[in-house]
Structure formats: structure tokens, C-alpha cells
Amino acid sequence: MTLALIVLAGPLIVFAAIACLPPLRRSGRPAAYVSIAGIGASCAAAMAQAAPFLRGAGIEAVRTAEVVWAPIAGAPPIRFGLLVDGLSASMAVLVALVALLVQVYSLAYMAEEKPASLGRYYAYHALFAFAMLGLVLSHNLLQTYVFWELVGLGSYLLIGFWFERPAAGRAAQKAFWTTRLGDVGFAIGIVVLWGAAGTFSFSELFARASGGALGGTALAVGVAGIYLGAMGKSAQAPFHIWLPDAMEGPTPVSALIHAATMVAAGVYLMVRIAPLLALTPQLASAVFAIGVLTAVLAASMALVENDIKRILAFSTVSQLGFMMAAVGSGGAEAAYFHLTTHAFFKALLFLAAGSLIHAVHTNDIFRMGRLARRMPVTAACFAIGALALAGVVPTSGFFSKDEILAAVLAGGHPIGFAILVAVAGMTAFYIGRAFFVALLGAHDAEDQPHESPPAMTLPMIVLGILALAGGALAPAFPRLFEATVSALPAHEASTPIFVPILGTAAAAAGLAIAWAAYQRGALDPGAVRRAAHPIVTVLERRFYVDDVFEAGYRVVYLGVSSAVGWFDRYVVDGVVNAVTWGTWILAGRLRTLQSGRVQDALYFVAGGLLLLAWLAWTG
Amino acid sequence: MRTTAFWLLIAVLLGGALLVVTSRSLFRAAYALAATLLATAGLYALLSAPLLAAVQVILYTGGILTLTVFALVVAGDETGGVRWRRPLPAAALSVAVLAALAAAVRTARTERTPGGPDSGAAAGAALFGDYLVPFELLSVLLLGAVFGALLLARRDDPA
Amino acid sequence: MTLTHLLLVAAALFAIGLFGMLARRHAIGVLLSIELMFNAVNLAIVSIAWSRGLATGVVLVLFGIAITVAEAAIGLALVLLVTRVRKTAVLDDLHDLSG
């Protein structure tokens, strides 16, 4: 357990140090070094912790540790604890490693920031890392929720890092609000499950559910609530709207949060509660369907984007849809494998994109061109990432996408399978388009760009190696999964051969079309755009989902607010004002009693006399 | 004979009282009060209190009333022609009080325990005996009243 | 001539005086009515003393009359003062202490 504590303590201590010691924060680069040291220690501890599980230590290696946090009268107390099993240990390595690489990369990317600003940046990074690691290592739902919210806070702070830009502030708020909507469902789900089972702990919940003590409506509502939370964080439609806008944040932040870790938290959570999801098949079908829908929608919106970060953002949403589709088909293992490989190659793509943006000072792919010549390392890394995303053999992406498609098919969803294959083709197309236009292409970019410094290229190279070779990890995943509390009964893992063939064919087709259109000029994209103008407009307007949310916000939220405000002003205040008015009127009337004339007072004396007499008489 | 005197005196009493509250001229009201007070003195005499009758005539009729008439001469009895303010509520209240008092009176025991006629001697003995302190205090009060009245009614002449 | 008759007469006198006190507009008219009320009380005391054969009734009334004299003197002095300052003795016109 000490390793787990080191994993958590590293970023926590760094955050506390930078936050509480203004001189450290204001110094800039020293704060960065402290942060990198902290996350580095965390990463090392996480790797040491995960090693036994990767070697196949099995379920006996699972460790938990807990302390009583809040005693409750008449019920089991709420506990705070850590769970180290195959799932959490491997995820901790992923999070810590990507965080470390991103923080090193940021040294060069954020070099032009003022020192105090840089210190603030690294403080936020430390906070986020702590929150994410805490989320991963939590052994109960309530604790997960606490860290979940902290992660949301970290995301808000990092998206809105350049807060002087109004767009950044709006994007941060949009992210926070949208995920918050889901979090309400999450909270309700947790409470419902606790009400039915009396516990928050994962292992106890799974035991009760499989034993039949927890079931029916309570289980369904609980799991649905948790899924709502996952929908928000993992950008499932229609809660995906925050992710494209979140690109206002610095690119390293996008790489860490919106590719590898935070958005993966939703999928991670669903994988964690896979035993519960297995007991609610209708909900699992819904998860699957929404996942497929998300995958298609996002991929189609990526087709018309010119901003390289937005393309990658929609790509992330689409890939998250793939993962959720696998989770909903009972392929939690496949989903988690893809989560891992996606973390590597998507972070790689973001970092490479950041390198390009840093060099040419624009996000627009059509203002880049032939950058491969000037920036070979970046170009090679981007190419590797693109191939992994497209799922070309032998990249890690190929293996993980293959497993997802197989899981979907094995789960009994042929139509979904076909759709996902088509989406794979679209994926290959849009990433190919980005590659050909930005890195190859017919025209030169405007500035005189040069390759990025080693602080930026080294992390990319590491990720590139992982993206290429990650396929070798594939056999490790079943071993990891056996060693978790969320283990599902093993199913037969034979994949029909046509699955990888179809996958590769789709990828090849997509890349070929992109090459033909953007590199060779054989197809005219402009003409296609004009011909399909209505469709393109819908895609560019992102299916008007943002507008629906905005209108809903205006009508419902602001409407309710103004109604409540009216109520407060006219009814609540109205009662008080009416009392005031009544008192005034009464006072005015009563005042006339005191006329200043003696004989009027004498009337009262005489009246009092009569009253006394009557009282004495009847007394 | 006695009874007739009683009823006569009572007639004067009540008639005079009514005149006091109803006459337009305050002088006439003052004279009516004089009549009422004298009638009361007569009743005192009939009720075996001759000393009181004498005191009533001297102090009340002779003293207060004279004072009142002088004050009326100085102050004038101008009321703008209107006699009363809110006569109806006043009348109603008076009737109510009368009714209450009448109801109380009904509970009085009416057997007579005859005592002797009061004599000045007996009264004097009581005043200088049991009631000495109140008597002396009364003289202080009268002294205070004299000074008070003088102060209040004095004209502020630059002298 | 019974006690009841006498007391009723006293009560009537009191009620008439009360009416005058409440209804009369001139200050001296009010003072006159107050004298009536005092007189009624004295009559009642004397009547009860006569009926019960008490000797202390005399003393009580004596004191009452003396105090009444003092009160009348001060009251009239006040009326004179008011008339001098405000040129009127009508109570309705003297309402400076109104609410």
C-alpha cells in the first residue's frame, strides 16, 4: 500500500507546495521542475505497483486498505480506501505516465508564459493529477465521486487557463456545466445503490448484486445514474458539446485531459462497474446504442473541420463512442484496451499538433502545408499517431479497434458492427486529410517553421513508441482483468477472421480517398462540399445540438430563474411589503385616536371605568 | 312634611344639574350650580349633618362658585355658539354609567342604623384626634393651592 | 326616603355631571360639571353615613370639600392663564399634543 500512497502523495504534495508557497509559484520554472519530479515519482511508484499484475499475479495480488471516514448511526460507516487491482494499477500507470510526458512537453510549449502564470499552470496540473489518480485508486463509489468532481474542477481550471480570453472562460464554464448535468445523475445513482445495498464499496456491491440481494429497479436506476455521469465526462451524445470547445485550453492540456485521462474516466468507471452493467441488459443496450451514435456523429463532424485541434477533439468523442459501444456489448476488456492505446496515440497526436501549432502559430490545417520537410520528427510522430488512429496494422490501434469490433459482433449487434466499420473508414479519412493537408500538401506554410525543441519531441517519441508497440501488450490485458474485482466471467475470445480484414479494408479505403483528394487532387473536395452543401451545413453547425442546449438554457434555466425572481420580488417581498403597508395604514388610523383633545381621552377613562365595573361584577 | 322637603330639594338638585349641563350661557349654568349646591346643603341638613350643610354653603357655594363667576367674567363664556361636542356618545356613556351605578345601588342594604345627629364637637374631636395628620396635611395642600393659583394667574408685568 | 332613593339620586347627579364633562365645549363648563360629580359623591357618602349611623362620613366629606376647593382654585387659575395666552377657553381648540 505504500506504493499507492506514494502515487497519490507525489502530485498532492506538489500541489500543496506550489499553492501554499507563493514564492515557489511565482518563480515559474522551479515550480515546473518540482511538479515534474513529483509526477515522476508517482509514475515510478505506479509502475512498480502494476508490475506484479502485468506478470500475471492474479486475483490474490489485489490489495485494499480502508479507514472509517464517517460513522453513521444504525448503518455501516462510510469508508475511505484504496483499491489496487489490475485495473486500477494499470490505469494509474497510464495516467501518471501521460501526465509526466505532458508536463515535460509543457516546459517548452509554455515557455513564453510569465513565471507566475507558469507556476499556476503546474499547480493546476498537480491538482489534476492527484484528483485523477485518486479517482482511479478509489475503492468505493462515494470516494470516486469526490475525486470525479475534483477532476472536473481541474479540467475547468486548465481549460480556462488563459482566462483573459473570453472564449476560454466560456469553454471552461460549458465543460463544467455539461459534465455537472451528468454528475447529478451520478450522485442520484450512488445514493440509490447505497439505499438498496447499504454500501458504496465496489467489491461489496458486486457481491450483493451477483448474490441477488441487489437487483431490480434499484440496480437499474443506480447504474443508469452512474452512466449519466460517465456520459458527461466521456462526452457521449448529447453531452459531447463541451469537448470541441475545450480546445481553448493549451494543447498539452488537451493532450492530457481531453485525450487520455479525464474523458477516459467515464469509460473507466463503466468498466469498473461492468459486473453491475452485466445484470442490467437493457441499460447495456442503451449504452451500446448511444456509443455507436456518438461515434458516427462525431466522426461526421470531424470531416468538415479545418482546425486541427477540433478534428482531434471530435475524433476523441468518436473513439469514446467506440469504447462505450464495447462496454455496452459486454466487452469491457476490449474497451479498456482501446482506452489505453487511444490514450497513447491520441495524446501523441495532440502533442504533435501542438508542435505544429507552436511552429506556425495557427490551428488551421489549410494554413499549414509541407511541414514534414521542416519538422521531420513531428511529422513522423503525427504519422504514427494517425496510423494508430486509423487502425492500420501493426499499430496498437489496430489491435484494440479489432477487439472492439469483435466484442460488438460477439455481443450480438450486427448492425452496430457495420456502422462502426463505416466509422472506422471515416476516421481514417479525416485523419488522413489532416495529415496530407498539414504535413504534405501542395503549398508551403506561411512562416519559416522549424522543428520543436527536445522537451517537446522526446515525449512525442516515447508516445510514438508506445503507440506502435502497444499491440504487444494485448495478451497482458486478460491477465490484468482476472486480477480485478470487476472481473467478468471469461468468454470465448476467438475472433472471426473477417473482422480484422474488414477493419483494415475500411482504414485503407479511408486513407486512399484522403490521399486521392488532398494529395493527388484527383477528387475535388470543394466540389463535394458544394454538392452536399445542406449536409455540410448541418455538420458544421454540429447538428444544432449546441443550439438546442443554448435554447434550453435560455428558456428553461433563465425562464425558471426569472419566474423565481418574480416570485421572490412580488410574492415573498410582497408579503413583507403588504405587512408594511398594512402597518402604515393601521398606524395612520390609530394616530387619529390621539387628537390632543382632553375630552376624547376622558371617553377612554369613562369606558375603562365601565369595564372595571363589569369585571368586578362578573369577577 | 319631611318627605315633601326631600322631594322638593331633589327636584331642585336634579333640575339645577340639568341646567348646568344644558344652558347656553355659562353664567346661567353657574347660577344653576349654585342652586344645586344649596339644595345639597339642604339635604345634608335633613340627613342629620348640619355641620356639613354649613360647610357646603360657605365653602362650596360661597367660595367656589364666587370664584367661578369671577373667572367667567375675566375669561368670557364664548364658545362660538355651539353648546356641546359629540353629545350622543356622551349621553350614551352617561346612561351606561347610570345603569351600572343603579345596578350596584340595588345591592345596598337599606336597614337603617340610626345614629345621633353629628355635632360640631364630635367632628372637631375626630379632626383633632384620629384625623390630625390628614388635617395638617390638608392645610399644607391648601397653602400650596394658594401659592399655585397666585403663580399661575399672575400677570407678567415688567416691573 | 330610603337609602336606595338617595343613592339613585346621587347616581343620577353623577351621570348628569359626566355628560356635562364629556360634552361641554367651554373649559369652565367642564369644571362646573366636575363639581356636580364631586357633589354627587359627597351626597352618596353622607347618605350611607346617615343610613349606617357612621360618624366618619362627616370627616370624609369635609376633607373632600376642602380638596375640591383647592382643585377648583388651581383649575380656574389655569383657565385664566390659557385664556390669556390662547385667547380661547374652548377645549377643542387646544390640541397641541395631538398624535
Side-chain angles (χ1 to χ4, degrees):
Chain A
M1 269 299 135
T2 39
L3 285 174
L5 288 171
I6 296 176
V7 169
L8 286 173
L12 178 62
I13 293 174
V14 169
F15 171 68
I18 302 182
C20 300
L21 301 173
L24 178 62
R25 177 170 49 85
R26 281 192 228 116
S27 61
R29 286 190 91 80
Y33 296 139
V34 169
S35 182
I36 290 173
I39 196 70
S42 210
C43 189
M47 288 193 207
Q49 188 176 255
F53 294 102
L54 286 168
R55 283 197 297 268
I59 196 100
E60 307 80 43
V62 173
R63 296 269 175 273
T64 53
E66 53 185 36
V67 295
V68 171
W69 183 23
I72 304 177
I78 301 178
R79 290 170 212 276
F80 181 91
L82 299 175
L83 168 67
V84 179
D85 66 2
L87 190 61
S88 61
S90 52
M91 187 74 181
V93 172
L94 177 79
V95 172
L97 180 62
V98 177
L100 173 66
L101 294 172
V102 164
Q103 287 193 21
V104 171
Y105 179 96
S106 299
L107 275 176
Y109 190 85
M110 305 289 277
E112 286 114 39
E113 286 290 318
K114 290 198 287 290
S117 223
L118 193 65
R120 181 167 63 96
Y121 178 79
Y122 275 95
Y124 292 161
H125 258 290
L127 174 66
F128 177 84
F130 169 67
M132 191 70 208
L133 288 166
L135 193 159
V136 163
L137 291 168
S138 296
H139 97 319
N140 66 64
L141 270 175
L142 186 63
Q143 198 179 320
T144 307
Y145 185 73
V146 171
F147 281 110
W148 184 274
E149 294 299 326
L150 264 179
V151 166
L153 173 67
S155 163
Y156 170 83
L157 291 171
L158 283 166
I159 296 175
F161 180 70
W162 287 317
F163 55 81
E164 303 92 5
R165 294 221 303 252
R170 277 199 299 273
Q173 278 185 334
K174 190 170 180 178
F176 197 75
W177 272 104
T178 319
T179 52
R180 207 77 190 84
L181 261 179
D183 293 347
V184 172
F186 192 178
I188 294 177
I190 294 179
V191 171
V192 166
L193 283 177
W194 182 72
T199 176
F200 295 109
S201 152
F202 288 121
S203 36
E204 280 173 37
L205 281 171
F206 299 154
R208 256 167 250 238
S210 60
L214 172 67
T217 329
L219 181 64
V221 172
V223 176
I226 296 177
Y227 175 61
L228 265 175
M231 270 177 92
K233 279 270 191 309
S234 291
Q236 299 294 295
F239 294 116
H240 64 282
I241 53 172
W242 65 271
L243 195 49
D245 287 14
M247 298 298 112
E248 294 291 334
T251 310
V253 167
S254 307
L256 175 64
I257 296 184
H258 306 126
T261 47
M262 175 174 132
V263 295
V267 179
Y268 177 79
L269 182 65
M270 293 309 285
V271 169
R272 182 49 97 195
I273 62 165
L276 295 180
L277 193 62
L279 292 168
T280 54
Q282 280 147 331
L283 200 60
S285 303
V287 171
F288 165 77
I290 295 175
V292 172
L293 179 69
T294 306
V296 176
L297 248 43
S300 58
M301 290 193 271
L303 294 174
V304 299
E305 273 290 346
N306 297 339
D307 179 330
I308 192 167
K309 287 183 70 173
R310 293 258 153 77
I311 296 176
L312 294 175
F314 281 118
S315 170
T316 306
V317 176
S318 180
Q319 295 299 303
L320 288 168
F322 269 88
M323 293 179 223
M324 283 295 198
V327 168
S329 312
E333 214 184 292
Y336 184 61
F337 185 30
H338 194 61
L339 190 159
T340 319
T341 61
H342 175 266
F344 295 142
F345 64 69
K346 194 46 73 62
L348 170 63
L349 280 168
F350 266 108
L351 292 185
S355 178
L356 295 173
I357 294 169
H358 199 248
V360 299
H361 303 107
T362 177
N363 290 14
D364 188 340
I365 54 174
F366 287 100
R367 290 177 51 195
M368 306 175 191
R370 292 236 187 109
L371 288 174
R373 225 159 283 226
R374 304 274 168 83
M375 307 174 69
V377 179
T378 305
C381 289
F382 194 94
I384 295 172
L387 287 172
L389 176 57
V392 175
V393 71
T395 59
S396 56
F398 164 74
F399 292 102
S400 58
K401 183 166 295 189
D402 198 49
E403 279 207 27
I404 289 195
L405 291 173
V408 166
L409 194 60
H413 302 287
I415 304 177
F417 171 80
I419 297 177
L420 287 179
V421 170
V423 175
M426 287 163 79
T427 308
F429 174 76
Y430 65 65
I431 198 67
R433 167 175 175 261
F435 177 76
F436 291 127
V437 171
L439 290 162
L440 298 178
H443 316 279
D444 264 318
E446 277 136 44
D447 288 332
Q448 293 287 339
H450 54 85
E451 184 59 84
S452 299
M456 285 167 73
T457 53
L458 279 176
M460 286 198 285
I461 293 173
V462 172
L463 285 172
I465 296 172
L466 284 168
L468 265 182
L473 288 170
F477 276 81
R479 282 203 295 269
L480 279 176
F481 250 76
E482 273 167 46
T484 73
V485 295
S486 311
L488 293 171
H491 53 265
E492 258 314 298
S494 68
T495 318
I497 192 69
F498 68 84
V499 171
I501 292 179
L502 270 178
T504 313
L511 285 172
I513 298 176
W515 176 75
Y518 292 98
Q519 187 66 3
R520 282 288 169 211
L523 300 168
D524 182 10
V528 175
R529 243 191 148 91
R530 279 188 298 277
H533 185 68
I535 302 179
V536 171
T537 315
V538 170
L539 291 177
E540 279 176 349
R541 298 288 292 148
R542 303 186 192 168
F543 292 95
Y544 302 103
V545 179
D546 293 70
D547 303 305
V548 169
F549 269 94
E550 183 105 350
Y553 170 77
R554 260 181 228 300
V555 170
V556 174
Y557 184 71
L558 291 178
V560 170
S561 299
S562 48
V564 170
W566 179 90
F567 186 81
D568 183 53
R569 246 172 293 117
Y570 289 102
V571 177
V572 175
D573 284 358
V575 168
V576 176
N577 292 341
V579 170
T580 313
W581 175 82
T583 311
W584 269 108
I585 300 285
L586 188 64
R589 300 267 160 81
L590 280 175
R591 201 184 305 131
T592 58
L593 274 177
Q594 215 178 26
S595 61
R597 298 184 170 101
V598 172
Q599 281 148 314
D600 289 336
L602 285 172
Y603 273 106
F604 282 99
V605 174
L609 177 75
L610 274 179
L611 184 65
L612 276 172
W614 178 76
L615 280 173
W617 195 288
T618 58
Chain B
M1 186 55 210
R2 209 172 133 92
T3 330
T4 333
F6 258 123
W7 287 114
L8 207 63
L9 285 169
I10 287 169
V12 173
L13 187 79
L14 293 175
L18 285 169
L19 269 177
V20 169
V21 300
T22 59
S23 65
R24 234 171 254 284
S25 155
L26 276 178
F27 284 98
R28 212 165 296 160
Y31 303 143
L33 182 63
T36 305
L37 294 172
L38 288 171
T40 316
L43 278 173
Y44 290 163
L46 281 175
L47 292 175
S48 316
L51 177 63
L52 275 180
V55 169
Q56 173 91 345
V57 173
I58 297 172
L59 282 184
Y60 241 126
T61 322
I64 294 179
L65 215 45
T66 321
L67 210 55
T68 312
V69 171
F70 270 115
L72 268 175
V73 168
V74 174
D77 71 339
E78 189 51 55
T79 59
V82 183
R83 250 185 317 177
W84 294 324
R85 63 174 320 259
R86 301 192 189 211
L88 289 165
L93 202 54
S94 307
V95 167
V97 169
L98 179 58
L101 288 170
V105 162
R106 273 187 206 297
T107 67
R109 290 174 293 143
T110 57
E111 326 78 58
R112 270 210 69 197
T113 319
D118 77 304
S119 60
L127 275 178
F128 285 98
D130 292 332
Y131 300 100
L132 181 61
V133 176
F135 184 71
E136 296 302 330
L137 286 176
L138 188 62
S139 58
V140 175
L141 174 72
L142 289 171
L143 190 66
V146 166
F147 278 122
L150 270 174
L151 265 170
L152 283 171
R154 186 172 66 158
R155 260 188 208 286
D156 294 314
D157 287 332
Chain C
M1 193 58 1
T2 63
L3 180 61
T4 317
H5 294 131
L6 286 165
L7 288 178
L8 281 174
V9 167
L13 195 57
F14 187 84
I16 294 170
L18 181 67
F19 173 79
M21 183 181 79
L22 294 172
R24 274 287 195 186
R25 296 190 78 221
H26 198 282
I28 296 184
V30 171
L31 282 170
L32 292 176
S33 310
I34 291 174
E35 296 305 325
L36 280 179
M37 289 161 79
F38 271 125
N39 212 39
V41 171
N42 289 342
L43 183 60
I45 295 175
V46 171
S47 308
I48 294 175
W50 169 76
S51 174
R52 300 267 186 279
L54 299 164
T56 46
V58 172
V59 179
L60 208 54
V61 173
L62 223 44
F63 277 119
I65 293 176
I67 293 169
T68 312
V69 165
E71 165 262 332
I74 300 290
L76 289 168
L78 279 172
V79 171
L80 285 179
L81 192 56
V82 162
T83 317
R84 200 181 302 151
V85 173
R86 293 298 218 89
K87 309 286 182 286
T88 179
V90 174
L91 289 174
D92 278 347
D93 296 336
L94 304 166
H95 56 91
D96 285 0
L97 288 176
S98 66

